[in-house]
Amino acid sequence: MTDLALVVLAAGMGTRMNSVTPKVLHKIAGRTMLSHVLHAGRELSPRNAVIVHGPGKALVQTEARSIINNCEFAEQIDRLGTGHAVSMAKDILKRFAGVVLVLYGDAPLVKAQTLRALVRQIEGNTKMVVLGFEAANPHGYGRLITKDNHVLDIREELDCTENERSIRLCNSGIIAIDNALLWQLIPKLRNNNAKFEFYLTDLVKLANGAGSRVALAECREIEVAGVNDRLQLSTLERHFQNEARREAMLSGVTLIDPDTVYFSADTNLGKDVIIEPNVFFGSGVTVGDDVVILAHSHIEGATIAEGARIGPFARLRPGAEIGENAHIGNFVEIKQAVIGRGAKANHLSYIGDAKIGAGSNIGAGTITCNYDGFEKHFTDIGEKVFVGSNTSLVAPVKIGAGANIAASSVITRDVPADALALTRPELQIKDGWAKRYREVKQAAKDSKKKF
Ligand code: UD1
Ligand code: CA
């Protein structure tokens, strides 16, 4: 296997995004476009990855390193074209022996298998491969001038003749090229074209001229669609969601109304999961087999074990770990808490910074008072604890296994195992009081009406 280096072009200003965030850091399915591209590239086990970025690299650098930790960075100050952008990686790659794969940071849907097929075509005298696609509307794209599956040249829209403009086979921008050939040809690029830019696409003609065959690989248009504004961002989001829904269903997940369920790029679903309408998965969710997620639940950063039942209207926040066969019901919010096997919190609760032992029952309206205005504190509930409705657990506090907390209690001290804890003002019952009250009030109202 030859070594591979990725070069990701990400120097675009993204003016049309109207954003202070660099374009490539806008998200699709909870994952930045840059991260999507690097995830795809990473599957090819590259030896190097170079991000060509514009001004303000800090955010881009942090994001890129979180996916490929030995990523390197080259700044492009003046944007003089795609060929110029790639040339920024020269100092980093000049001694590299292998194949360079150029990707666009704003074309996030490209699949690893497409890239793998592209790179594999480099062998023998084929030292360059171009990824092309049949465009529904080729306007704005570079057209591929081909002969017998060889690419002879790429002509940018503005430089096309009338005839060339009717070609629908277009350049995705993604290429693979032998590193030695790349640095041999880059100095030969000229900007004598309609845009006065150094076009990476001119490498095709130069490679042919240097005696190399330039091969063509093809993919679907959507895989290489780029994002320039938030409308295009939403188009790709929709496409991604539709694919994710399809994949989920084909792999054994029932979606009652697929169009209303939203996944993140990293959502991980087991088999025989059933998801009702209007469920949103933020980043970092893993769902075990046989889980049922009822309508209108919002789930993020959570792990849900086999057989659990979530919702309707449940909210699982980061750090929620729901045990096997546990039940989390309506209007229950769980944050940074481990819910034991078979435990239940079925109605109107907040459980944060807590551990609930197996088989415990958390009554309606129970709240872990985890925050004192300055710091967070932990609530530790043992196994098979019964917490009565409307209980406030003032953390830090520990409830021993098998304890029983009477309804409406405010628990400010630890409760030993198997004890009963209750805070209860005296209950007063006054016979006949309500009837007398009614009669007096009614008489007063009636006498007013007479006058
Ligand atoms: C480019 C291709 C065109 C192809 C199209 C696919 C060239 C000359 N043309 O055209 O054949 O059909 O992409 O979308 O390559 N970038 C930099 N620095 C620069 C210039 C660009 O980082 O100086 C980055 C951009 O941020 C973007 C990518 O390179 O991610 C493509 O640049 P763009 O200006 O959009 O190229 P197009 O004119 O669309
Ligand atoms: Ca473009």
Side-chain angles (χ1 to χ4, degrees):
M1 274 299 286
T2 39
D3 281 336
L4 183 74
L6 309 178
V7 172
V8 181
L9 304 190
M13 296 298 291
T15 326
R16 280 179 279 164
M17 298 299 283
N18 270 316
S19 176
V20 291
T21 303
K23 175 161 81 173
V24 296
L25 297 187
H26 283 263
K27 291 179 178 175
I28 286 173
R31 179 179 276 176
T32 65
M33 292 197 271
L34 180 63
S35 171
H36 278 279
V37 171
L38 291 176
H39 270 91
R42 189 174 69 178
E43 285 193 42
L44 279 66
S45 314
R47 179 173 287 269
N48 292 53
V50 184
I51 316 287
V52 179
H53 60 87
K57 86 165 170 189
L59 293 172
V60 168
Q61 183 165 328
T62 312
E63 176 69 355
R65 290 221 163 113
S66 73
I67 300 128
I68 296 184
N69 60 17
N70 65 346
C71 244
E72 295 180 83
F73 298 86
E75 184 171 17
Q76 187 193 26
I77 296 167
D78 299 313
R79 288 184 80 240
L80 305 181
T82 47
H84 179 255
V86 169
S87 76
M88 299 296 108
K90 184 167 182 186
D91 282 347
I92 297 170
L93 293 180
K94 62 189 170 203
R95 269 183 289 279
F96 171 75
V99 173
V100 171
L101 174 62
V102 178
L103 302 169
Y104 284 3
D106 59 1
L109 298 186
V110 69
K111 292 215 177 354
Q113 72 197 64
T114 303
L115 300 177
R116 218 175 271 127
L118 177 89
V119 170
R120 279 210 192 108
Q121 287 204 48
I122 300 230
E123 65 167 351
N125 194 37
T126 302
K127 296 206 163 95
M128 179 174 184
V129 187
V130 173
L131 182 61
F133 64 98
E134 285 285 339
N137 170 11
H139 181 80
Y141 290 115
R143 310 298 205 277
L144 299 188
I145 316 288
T146 55
K147 194 180 172 212
D148 309 332
N149 249 22
H150 296 200
V151 189
L152 302 179
D153 203 354
I154 302 179
R155 198 86 75 239
E156 292 306 300
E157 169 95 16
L158 292 173
D159 305 306
C160 277
T161 63
E162 198 67 36
N163 266 349
E164 289 166 342
R165 215 164 276 145
S166 66
I167 297 173
R168 283 183 42 207
L169 183 61
C170 292
N171 174 31
S172 68
I174 295 177
I175 61 160
I177 183 169
D178 172 78
N179 189 63
L181 182 66
L182 174 65
W183 302 117
Q184 176 195 323
L185 299 181
I186 281 273
K188 299 188 175 161
L189 293 178
R190 297 289 173 267
N191 65 349
N192 53 350
N193 49 50
K195 281 189 171 171
F196 303 106
E197 283 186 357
F198 296 91
Y199 290 167
L200 187 66
T201 47
D202 285 346
L203 290 184
V204 171
K205 195 175 178 180
L206 293 169
N208 278 290
S212 165
R213 177 179 179 270
V214 179
L216 170 68
E218 282 191 67
C219 70
R220 291 191 302 152
E221 179 164 13
I222 187 73
E223 254 193 76
V224 288
V227 169
N228 294 308
D229 58 32
R230 299 198 202 217
L231 287 176
Q232 290 168 336
L233 189 71
S234 76
T235 302
L236 297 202
E237 174 80 43
R238 195 171 314 124
H239 178 83
F240 187 97
Q241 292 299 341
N242 283 333
E243 290 244 300
R245 292 161 185 155
R246 205 183 114 82
E247 270 167 37
M249 290 186 283
L250 291 177
S251 66
V253 174
T254 296
L255 304 181
I256 294 173
D257 187 359
D259 290 349
T260 68
V261 176
Y262 292 83
F263 294 112
S264 279
D266 63 355
T267 305
N268 198 333
L269 302 169
K271 279 215 166 32
D272 287 316
V273 169
I274 297 176
I275 303 175
E276 288 193 350
N278 295 311
V279 173
F280 185 92
F281 291 90
S283 306
V285 176
T286 297
V287 178
D289 296 346
D290 301 310
V291 166
V292 179
I293 301 178
L294 302 175
H296 302 287
S297 294
H298 190 285
I299 301 170
E300 183 185 7
T303 305
I304 304 171
E306 236 174 89
R309 187 184 165 89
I310 310 296
F313 296 100
R315 175 151 189 230
L316 303 185
R317 292 173 53 203
E321 286 180 38
I322 312 301
E324 271 175 51
N325 301 317
H327 288 190
I328 304 299
N330 33 244
F331 307 106
V332 173
E333 173 181 348
I334 311 272
K335 186 218 74 173
Q336 201 62 50
V338 177
I339 311 297
R341 163 203 294 252
K344 292 179 181 148
N346 273 328
H347 333 265
L348 302 159
S349 246
Y350 171 68
I351 312 287
D353 301 302
K355 179 167 163 258
I356 312 283
S360 286
N361 186 88
I362 306 299
T366 296
I367 305 291
T368 54
C369 310
N370 61 327
Y371 185 54
D372 60 14
F374 298 92
E375 281 173 288
K376 300 283 175 64
H377 302 283
F378 196 74
T379 300
D380 185 346
I381 298 179
E383 295 190 358
K384 297 201 171 117
V385 168
F386 179 90
V387 179
S389 297
N390 206 29
T391 293
S392 299
L393 299 158
V394 183
V397 72
K398 190 169 172 171
I399 315 292
N404 196 318
I405 312 287
S408 244
S409 295
V410 179
I411 305 298
T412 52
R413 277 179 284 136
D414 290 355
V415 178
D418 296 322
L420 166 70
L422 74 169
T423 52
R424 187 138 300 175
E426 194 196 341
L427 174 65
Q428 301 180 46
I429 297 180
K430 299 182 179 177
D431 282 331
W433 187 95
K435 185 163 180 268
R436 287 196 299 280
Y437 175 77
R438 253 188 337 263
E439 286 164 359
V440 169
K441 290 301 249 188
Q442 195 60 53
K445 199 171 176 183
D446 293 347
S447 70
K448 262 189 211 153
K449 264 190 214 154
K450 278 183 197 144
F451 300 102

